[in-house]
Amino acid sequence: MPDQSIPQARTPETPTAEPVSGASGISRRALLGTAGATGLVLGTAGGAVGYASAPAGTTPLTSVGAGRAMFHGKHQPGITDGLQARGHLVAFDLAAGAGRKEAAALLRRWSTTAERLMAGEAAPHGDTDVARDAGPSSLTLTFGFGHSFFGRTGLEKQRPAALDPLPDFSSDHLDKSRSDGDLWVQIGANDALVAFHALRAIQKDAGSAARVRWQMNGFNRSPGATAHPMTARNLMGQLDGTRNPKPTDTDFDQRIFVPDPGEPAWMAGGSYAVVRRIRMLLDDWEKLSLTAQEQVIGRRKADGAPLSGGDETTPMDLEKTDAHGDYVVPLNAHARITRPEKNGGAAMLRRPFSYHDGIDPDGTPDAGLLFICWQADPLRGFVPVQRKLDRGDALSTYIRHEASGLFAVPGGAAKGEYVGQRLLEG
């Protein structure tokens, strides 16, 4: 759980989503500013249910509800978009007897559903009305393939070398039933009902072609909850994501996305997602003094500044010592160990969700981080950093890796395409 690794791509308060506007792709939720303003009408394609437009003067959506991410593009949505308030991660296994043909049909259905929901429209089949009164709320859906997917579909020769299983780490306590999977879907939105609506639609679309293997729910701070945009905090109370790579960095695309032409070709514009359910041992963590917590991390808790001085963005001085000759930033501090210059330049784009799954019978909270990191090659991103953490990270005493997955996330779909089409029909 590296320092720059529990982060945000951009803050929720500064989303990249675009407001819904214009007559094209009219939002069936954006037009419903007042209850009962419109009625149900049958769509012309596939009997889908849509909504008639609201009368003039309808109350407009708030900026949160109106935020819209684009489905089509060079990259899939949900990678460089700002952190969203709600998220769902779900992995599927193809059903017995389902292969390449069924997988292609499923990805086609999922892509159609994703495009409509991200535009604020009804799901194409059996919409539940759960999100009827909301706008798109910066909804994103992102799709990936696990290592096992390629054997199930007869596409072993197209399996990327970068998708080889992650090595074992000493900090792993993995539940195999909540790890891996043939297919992976990441859902994020700034409204809980919009996110759930998308999850339900995706599950229904799977039909008899695939079954849910595991599913996890997460959250982040809501947009507008702070006086100004700032780095997110995790459940340990730490500012988390200070050193996350930024899309404005000159080498950002090189580190995060597979170049064109890709290796293999169908992965051009894609990325690799490492997904880890990291439980935080909060009872033990909260027994530490503030000073002890800051020594574990290597940064001040209040503002994220390095212990060597300055503010949050001040470069960390790893050589600075105190009056006793001890390093101000301890040798085993999380922030020191995870620095790219200490890991051969390894960098990942971290875009996580926090989670809380209740309280155990002994009173221990089952809470922590749904860690998601993006990179062009996990062997040059996540793996070297996690190996370094395995060898002496002070934070490892207070966390436990309980589930894991690695997924190849292809590039975005062009107009008229579905996600993964270049693989499944290439």
Side-chain angles (χ1 to χ4, degrees), residues 74-145:
K74 182 177 181 180
H75 312 300
Q76 287 196 58
I79 301 176
T80 60
D81 300 85
L83 290 182
Q84 293 137 307
R86 292 287 177 174
H88 301 293
L89 309 180
V90 55
F92 293 82
D93 286 334
L94 290 172
R100 182 174 178 177
K101 178 181 177 181
E102 290 76 14
L106 175 56
L107 266 296
R108 190 179 295 110
R109 290 195 299 275
W110 276 352
S111 296
T112 298
T113 294
E115 182 177 9
R116 289 179 63 92
L117 296 186
M118 286 175 57
E121 299 171 359
H125 306 101
D127 190 87
T128 61
D129 278 349
V130 170
R132 177 186 177 96
D133 308 302
S137 302
S138 302
L139 174 69
T140 60
L141 292 96
T142 318
F143 304 96
F145 305 115

Side-chain angles (χ1 to χ4, degrees), residues 142-415:
T142 318
F143 304 96
F145 305 115
H147 185 275
S148 56
F149 176 83
F150 297 85
R152 300 291 301 276
T153 55
L155 291 166
E156 292 95 335
K157 291 183 179 180
Q158 291 296 322
R159 181 191 292 132
L163 200 58
D164 286 350
L166 297 172
D168 293 331
F169 300 106
S170 62
S171 58
D172 286 353
H173 299 270
L174 303 183
D175 178 351
K176 298 298 184 182
S177 68
R178 292 196 294 181
S179 300
D180 304 316
D182 294 341
L183 293 154
W184 175 69
V185 185
Q186 173 191 252
I187 298 168
N190 283 332
D191 179 78
L193 288 180
V194 169
F196 175 82
H197 179 247
L199 174 65
R200 186 67 181 129
I202 288 298
Q203 182 187 3
K204 291 170 67 178
D205 277 349
S208 61
R211 60 176 178 81
V212 173
R213 177 179 176 87
W214 55 261
Q215 194 267 311
M216 302 174 187
N217 309 308
F219 58 90
N220 284 303
R221 174 169 277 158
S222 297
T226 56
H228 54 82
M230 60 181 293
T231 306
R233 290 189 185 273
N234 60 35
L235 297 189
M236 288 179 163
Q238 301 291 148
L239 286 185
D240 211 334
T242 299
R243 287 183 52 83
N244 218 20
K246 298 175 178 61
T248 53
D249 296 343
T250 56
D251 60 352
F252 181 84
D253 282 0
Q254 175 186 342
R255 292 183 172 195
I256 306 306
F257 295 110
V258 177
D260 190 0
E263 180 54 49
W266 64 268
M267 272 296 289
S271 189
Y272 292 90
V274 174
V275 182
R276 310 277 280 185
R277 184 183 191 271
I278 303 176
R279 183 163 179 167
M280 294 177 172
L281 307 181
L282 294 177
D283 284 347
D284 294 335
W285 174 255
E286 291 162 4
K287 291 175 183 175
L288 297 178
S289 67
L290 174 61
T291 298
Q293 290 180 351
E294 293 180 337
Q295 292 282 309
V296 168
I297 301 299
R299 291 183 176 273
R300 293 202 300 258
K301 192 170 186 179
D303 59 6
L307 296 184
S308 54
D311 58 24
E312 183 184 358
T313 60
T314 300
M316 185 174 288
D317 183 355
L318 299 180
E319 302 303 319
K320 186 174 182 179
T321 57
D322 60 19
H324 304 287
D326 297 322
Y327 285 115
V328 174
V329 180
L331 289 173
N332 64 348
H334 185 74
R336 174 188 285 269
I337 292 175
T338 58
R339 292 181 69 81
E341 61 267 32
K342 296 294 183 181
N343 295 281
M348 307 165 271
L349 175 66
R350 290 78 169 179
R351 195 174 178 278
F353 292 96
S354 293
Y355 78 86
H356 179 224
D357 287 343
I359 299 174
D360 291 345
D362 64 359
T364 302
D366 183 1
L369 196 74
L370 301 181
F371 171 87
I372 307 161
C373 72
W374 301 91
Q375 58 256 281
D377 184 348
L379 291 179
R380 296 183 180 182
F382 173 79
V383 171
V385 176
Q386 189 58 39
R387 279 178 170 158
K388 194 78 170 286
L389 292 172
D390 245 17
R391 294 196 290 267
D393 175 28
L395 185 60
S396 63
T397 301
Y398 305 98
I399 61 175
R400 187 165 62 226
H401 293 242
E402 296 186 336
S404 178
L406 171 62
F407 303 95
V409 176
K415 283 283 187 181

